[in-house]
């Protein structure tokens, strides 16, 4: 039986997905092991552009819960590490069947993320966080008091200039 997943919001802990596995860790090496396991479970396939193309995004939440032993006050923090699948030009990737559907979903979620970032940067009154599952999950990582750092990979190949510029 396949588990059902849905996005929930906790006023103190922020966005989360129910029915996911939470693993307590005590050292960075343990996080490395979890990331290796996650990477093995990640969907990848060959396209005309990449021998191993990610077919899904990956989000790792590192949550801290700290309790002041004198006052009993509890403080929560969360760091989100996100590896986004790259956008794909279907005509270049040659994706068909399931890979085509995955590419369309990836492109749609990345477009929604661009809309959210644009709204946040433009100080828009409405930020469309709920336009995709990805942006809904990242709402507390992008808005409010969150600090966000983004790295983008781009190709040095002249044939990939369109993808590089849209990144």
């Amino acid at each position: 039986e396949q588990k059902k997943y849905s996005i929930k919001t906790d006023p103190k802990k922020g966005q989360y997905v129910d029915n996911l596995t939470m693993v307590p860790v005590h050292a960075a090496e343990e996080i490395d092991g979890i990331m290796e396991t996650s990477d093995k479970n990640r969907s990848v396939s060959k396209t005309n552009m990449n021998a191993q193309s990610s077919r899904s995004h990956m989000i790792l939440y590192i949550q801290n819960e700290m309790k002041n032993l004198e006052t009993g006050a509890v403080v929560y923090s969360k760091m989100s590490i996100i590896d986004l699948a790259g956008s794909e030009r279907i005509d270049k990737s040659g994706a068909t069947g399931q890979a085509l559907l995955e590419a369309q979903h990836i492109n749609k979620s990345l477009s929604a993320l661009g809309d959210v970032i644009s709204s946040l940067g433009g100080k828009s009154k409405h930020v469309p966080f709920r336009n995709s599952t990805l942006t809904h999950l990242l709402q507390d990582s992008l808005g409010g008091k969150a600090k966000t750092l983004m790295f983008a990979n781009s190709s040095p190949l002249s044939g990939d200039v369109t993808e590089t510029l849209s990144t």
Side-chain angles (χ1 to χ4, degrees):
E1 181 179 325
Q2 192 168 354
K3 287 183 181 178
K4 288 218 175 224
Y5 301 101
S6 59
I7 300 171
K8 305 287 185 184
T9 302
D10 180 279
K12 292 182 181 174
K13 298 179 184 179
Q15 308 297 108
Y16 69 97
V17 178
D18 63 353
N19 291 320
L20 290 183
T21 304
M22 186 177 287
V23 180
V25 295
H26 301 89
E29 295 78 22
E30 294 175 78
I31 295 172
D32 290 341
I34 292 167
M35 289 182 70
E36 284 177 27
T37 301
S38 298
D39 204 38
K40 288 177 187 170
N41 291 329
R42 193 170 188 188
S43 176
V44 295
S45 68
K46 184 179 185 301
T47 69
N48 292 344
M49 295 180 73
N50 292 305
Q52 286 196 320
S53 177
S54 298
R55 311 313 303 160
S56 60
H57 305 307
M58 184 171 74
I59 301 174
L60 171 69
Y61 290 127
I62 300 173
Q63 298 176 316
N64 289 311
E65 184 177 316
M66 297 160 283
K67 184 175 184 178
N68 183 319
L69 298 177
E70 290 181 19
T71 65
V74 178
V75 176
Y76 299 97
S77 65
K78 176 170 71 173
M79 180 169 59
S80 305
I81 300 173
I82 301 124
D83 183 7
L84 298 172
S87 63
E88 240 178 67
R89 293 185 57 108
I90 305 303
D91 58 332
K92 282 186 156 188
S93 71
T96 59
Q98 182 64 31
L100 175 60
L101 290 173
E102 291 165 344
Q104 290 169 334
H105 287 292
I106 289 165
N107 290 345
K108 183 178 175 188
S109 67
L110 292 174
S111 178
L113 179 59
D115 293 343
V116 165
I117 291 169
S118 178
S119 293
L120 289 168
K123 305 293 184 197
S124 175
K125 289 183 181 183
H126 172 72
V127 181
F129 286 114
R130 291 183 180 247
N131 284 2
S132 84
T133 302
L134 175 68
T135 55
H136 191 184
L137 270 176
L138 299 182
Q139 183 171 350
D140 61 350
S141 297
L142 295 171
K145 297 178 186 177
K147 304 292 184 223
T148 304
L149 179 62
M150 180 184 276
F151 296 94
N153 290 325
S154 59
S155 172
L157 302 175
S158 59
D160 293 336
V161 71
T162 305
E163 287 82 4
T164 298
L165 290 174
S166 68
T167 298

